[in-house]
Amino acid sequence: MRTITAALILTLLALPASAQTVVGSQAQIQSTGYSLAPPYTLIDISHPANADGTVTSASVGWFSKSCTLAFKVKFLRPQNTATLTTFTLVAERGPFTSLPGRNQVPISPPVDIKQGDMIAVTSLVAFSTCGSPSASSDPGSVVMELSGDVSSGSFTGVNFRGSALAARATNTSEVLEGVIAAAGSLQGNFGSFFRTSLQIASPLGGTSTGKLVFHPAGVPFSASDQVLPYTVSSGNATSYTDIVETMGQSGLGTIDIISTNGFPPLVTARVYNDGGTNGTAGFTEDMITPSAVLHSGDLAILLTPPDLTNFRANVGVRTFSSAATVNVQYGFRSQSNKDFPANTFRQYTLTTDFGDTSPVANEQIIFFVLSGDVIIYLSTTDNKTNDSSVRFAKRE
């Protein structure tokens, strides 16, 4: 038996869960601007391109006012990622007209970028008359500010830490913002009936537009899977008591949240046993973003329930555009590699059809992702009350 040790946990670059080329980020709340002397250039150094690809569309947040010929979108290639002082201009597009909020602009002709390239926005106008690119507070992000309408060369900039530039470019205007890993409307064991409620909201200052896509469990995802469009105005929310039933479906599945315009939505779900006049019992399930899924080289640990007689447990596995292989180890007793097809979701019964080894109570299940992108969770349900809980595997 091979025991996975820390030495095997490598930080590997993997394709995004959605198989999209994405550079930059589109923060959900954009509330600040830059009062700098134009022209100036802002580089998002915290969200480089996740893969080689071709970008065709960009989204740029703009603070306060409208103006013609207000900004350019640039793609820069750092020559040394350790120092970030020298860049090569891959391409620029614009100038574009700015509108308050999110500006969806075409990248035409399309631009070929490499993994690690960075997006930048050059403002050509004064804040007092036209506003500026917008940003949001994000402790993990850094924006580099450079004076001038920069091209290739060596630059000395000022880093704004804790700030996220609202600029993102992709290879499509439809962007997978995240998933509700498990959603269902179905009869369960011991007299249970599980439903999934869902809330979808737009942050203050913008409208969110897109679609929800329900993929049934146990079969490959299909272009004919059920779609529900959504549009939520600034500061408002829409809720569904049973989102699967609302979409005309039944059974168990998984839901993609895809934005087509506007701000990334705020989404949360609740999986609950519908007890009728006795009320409901369940748990909250937040949207999982592509950056939060497990990638190749990640290790995660889940715990089996303390009681496998009075509680039942299920393991859910959601893959994306590529197949995933995961090494599954039960404590120090046994291990095996498991293959999961691309673009599928399935929920396994822990004690009967997930592992090659019968689980025991209070045991660590160690998952080491050998390839692909994957979401893994373990749900536990009380056999008497049908109250349930869930824990998602997170990289350790």
Side-chain angles (χ1 to χ4, degrees), residues 14-375:
L15 288 175
S18 61
Q20 290 183 322
T21 300
V22 180
V23 53
S25 68
Q26 188 67 61
Q28 290 174 316
I29 299 177
Q30 297 156 20
S31 58
T32 60
Y34 296 87
S35 56
L36 306 171
Y40 59 89
T41 300
L42 304 168
I43 307 175
D44 181 348
I45 64 175
S46 298
H47 304 94
N50 57 358
D52 295 356
T54 301
V55 293
T56 60
S57 178
S59 166
V60 176
W62 194 263
F63 183 77
S64 183
K65 300 177 182 180
S66 302
C67 218
T68 58
L69 306 178
F71 67 92
K72 297 179 182 179
V73 177
K74 298 176 184 283
F75 301 95
L76 301 172
R77 184 165 299 156
Q79 298 306 299
N80 187 327
T81 56
T83 59
L84 295 178
T85 57
T86 304
F87 297 87
T88 298
L89 178 65
V90 177
E92 67 174 38
R93 297 292 181 264
F96 298 104
T97 295
S98 66
L99 295 172
R102 185 176 187 244
N103 294 261
Q104 189 80 27
V105 298
I107 301 300
S108 181
V111 174
D112 294 330
I113 61 174
K114 296 290 187 181
Q115 188 176 48
D117 287 353
M118 297 176 179
I119 192 171
V121 177
T122 296
S123 177
L124 305 172
V125 294
F127 179 83
S128 59
T129 55
C130 293
S132 76
S134 63
S136 64
S137 176
D138 182 352
S141 295
V142 181
V143 176
M144 178 184 290
E145 178 254 312
L146 300 170
S147 178
D149 183 359
V150 303
S151 185
S152 300
S154 297
F155 310 104
T156 300
V158 177
N159 289 342
F160 289 92
R161 300 189 180 277
S163 180
L165 180 65
R168 179 176 68 186
T170 64
N171 58 353
T172 173
S173 59
E174 293 190 350
V175 178
L176 178 67
E177 303 290 357
V179 303
I180 298 297
S185 181
L186 71 161
Q187 187 77 47
N189 294 329
F190 299 93
S192 61
F193 195 100
F194 286 98
R195 304 182 189 274
T196 306
S197 64
L198 185 137
Q199 289 179 292
I200 183 166
S202 181
L204 295 172
T207 295
S208 296
T209 303
K211 60 185 181 181
L212 309 176
V213 184
F214 178 80
H215 304 294
V219 295
F221 300 166
S222 167
S224 61
D225 288 344
Q226 190 64 38
V227 173
L228 177 67
Y230 69 81
T231 297
V232 189
S233 60
S234 172
N236 293 320
T238 297
S239 62
Y240 306 91
T241 302
D242 185 335
I243 184 60
V244 176
E245 185 178 68
T246 298
M247 297 179 75
Q249 303 296 296
S250 61
L252 183 65
T254 184
I255 296 177
D256 291 344
I257 295 97
I258 297 173
S259 67
T260 54
N261 199 2
F263 291 91
L266 305 169
V267 180
T268 188
R270 181 173 180 261
V271 178
Y272 64 95
N273 173 50
D274 187 352
T277 57
N278 293 324
T280 67
F283 55 85
T284 297
E285 183 183 350
D286 290 328
M287 179 177 75
I288 298 176
T289 62
S291 62
V293 309
L294 298 176
H295 303 299
S296 178
D298 285 339
L299 180 144
I301 299 173
L302 293 174
L303 297 177
T304 61
D307 182 345
L308 290 174
T309 300
N310 295 309
F311 292 82
R312 59 192 187 272
N314 296 297
V315 176
V317 179
R318 157 79 195 252
T319 61
F320 294 86
S321 60
S322 60
T325 299
V326 181
N327 180 273
V328 181
Q329 181 173 314
Y330 289 86
F332 294 103
R333 295 187 299 126
S334 68
Q335 68 171 334
S336 62
N337 292 343
K338 298 190 178 302
D339 298 318
F340 303 99
N343 291 318
T344 56
F345 165 69
R346 183 179 172 187
Q347 184 169 280
Y348 303 83
T349 302
L350 176 64
T351 55
T352 58
D353 65 356
F354 178 71
D356 301 324
T357 301
S358 297
V360 298
N362 286 319
E363 183 174 48
Q364 294 185 21
I365 306 178
I366 303 169
F367 302 92
F368 183 71
V369 182
L370 300 174
S371 64
D373 302 309
V374 64
I375 296 173

